[in-house]
């Protein structure tokens, strides 16, 4: 039977997952609004596509991890150390967001033209980049929180596998 763990949604790790989820959604939305399939997209296709892929895949994985903890599905698979899973995915996405947001930031810098002229979607692009960097910081905080849980040996599927505040 699947149970809801409403305490997880109110805990620091749960709130952190919600923050990551929202920041990735905002970064994806802003970048796709200003750049995808429209004005100014042509020559930067690979950089924009990489950023969008990182944001969407990260968004899906963060959502899945939240669902696993919220519905106590971690108890159904005690063989998996979910703290280690969260730790590794957080490191991977922090690095990928750093790289992809930096590549898109270079595009925004090129479009700024020394502050004299800005492309119409420039502000939206900068907002998407900022949300990407904020999501990276949230992932780094997630990594730091899970270091203690991994050193403590927790995370083997129990209901209390999320790190405590």
């Amino acid at each position: 039977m699947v149970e809801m763990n409403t305490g997880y949604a109110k805990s620091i790790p749960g709130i952190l997952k919600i923050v990551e989820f929202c920041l990735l959604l905002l970064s994806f939305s802003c970048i796709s609004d200003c750049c995808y399939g429209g004005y100014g997209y042509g020559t930067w296709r690979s950089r924009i596509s990489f950023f969008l892929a990182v944001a969407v895949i990260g968004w899906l994985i963060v959502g899945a991890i939240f669902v696993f903890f919220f519905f106590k599905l971690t108890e159904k698979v005690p063989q998996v150390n979910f703290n280690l899973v969260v730790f590794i995915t957080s490191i991977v996405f922090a690095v990928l967001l750093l790289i992809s947001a930096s590549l898109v930031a270079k595009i925004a810098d090129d479009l700024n033209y020394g502050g004299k002229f800005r492309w119409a979607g420039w502000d939206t692009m900068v907002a998407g980049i900022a949300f990407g960097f904020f999501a990276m910081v949230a992932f780094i905080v997630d990594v730091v929180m899970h270091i203690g849980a991994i050193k403590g040996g927790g995370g083997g599927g129990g209901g209390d596998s999320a790190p405590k505040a």
Side-chain angles (χ1 to χ4, degrees):
M1 186 73 182
V2 176
E3 302 175 40
M4 284 196 313
N5 182 5
T6 56
Y8 178 71
K10 297 173 187 174
S11 69
I12 292 176
I15 292 170
L16 195 55
K17 286 292 169 218
I18 293 169
V19 167
E20 291 167 0
F21 187 85
C22 292
L23 288 172
L24 288 169
L25 179 64
L26 287 169
S27 67
F28 167 77
S29 299
C30 289
I31 296 297
S32 62
D33 178 51
C34 77
C35 305
Y36 192 75
Y39 181 74
Y41 181 67
T43 58
W44 312 296
R45 181 177 304 270
S46 60
R47 291 180 182 190
I48 299 294
S49 295
F50 179 56
F51 182 86
L52 292 174
V54 168
V56 171
I57 293 168
W59 181 72
L60 292 171
I61 290 175
V62 166
I65 289 171
F66 182 82
V67 167
F68 263 79
F69 281 108
F70 185 76
F71 288 109
K72 294 186 178 182
L73 298 175
T74 56
E75 294 175 0
K76 307 292 183 198
V77 190
Q79 301 85 0
V80 177
N81 184 343
F82 282 92
N83 283 324
L84 186 60
V85 170
V86 173
F87 179 77
I88 291 171
T89 57
S90 294
I91 288 174
V92 168
F93 280 103
V95 170
L96 288 174
L97 281 168
L98 175 65
I99 294 168
S100 64
S102 298
L103 290 171
V104 178
K106 176 62 176 144
I107 296 170
D109 183 50
D110 292 344
L111 292 173
N112 191 13
Y113 301 112
K116 297 176 186 169
F117 170 75
R118 289 190 180 142
W119 162 59
W122 188 82
D123 292 332
T124 308
M125 179 185 276
V126 171
I129 295 165
F131 288 130
F133 281 121
F134 293 151
M136 178 197 69
V137 171
F139 278 113
I140 291 170
V141 170
D142 212 357
V143 166
V144 170
M145 287 187 61
H146 279 84
I147 287 174
I150 291 171
K151 284 184 179 178
D160 295 330
S161 61
K164 300 295 181 212

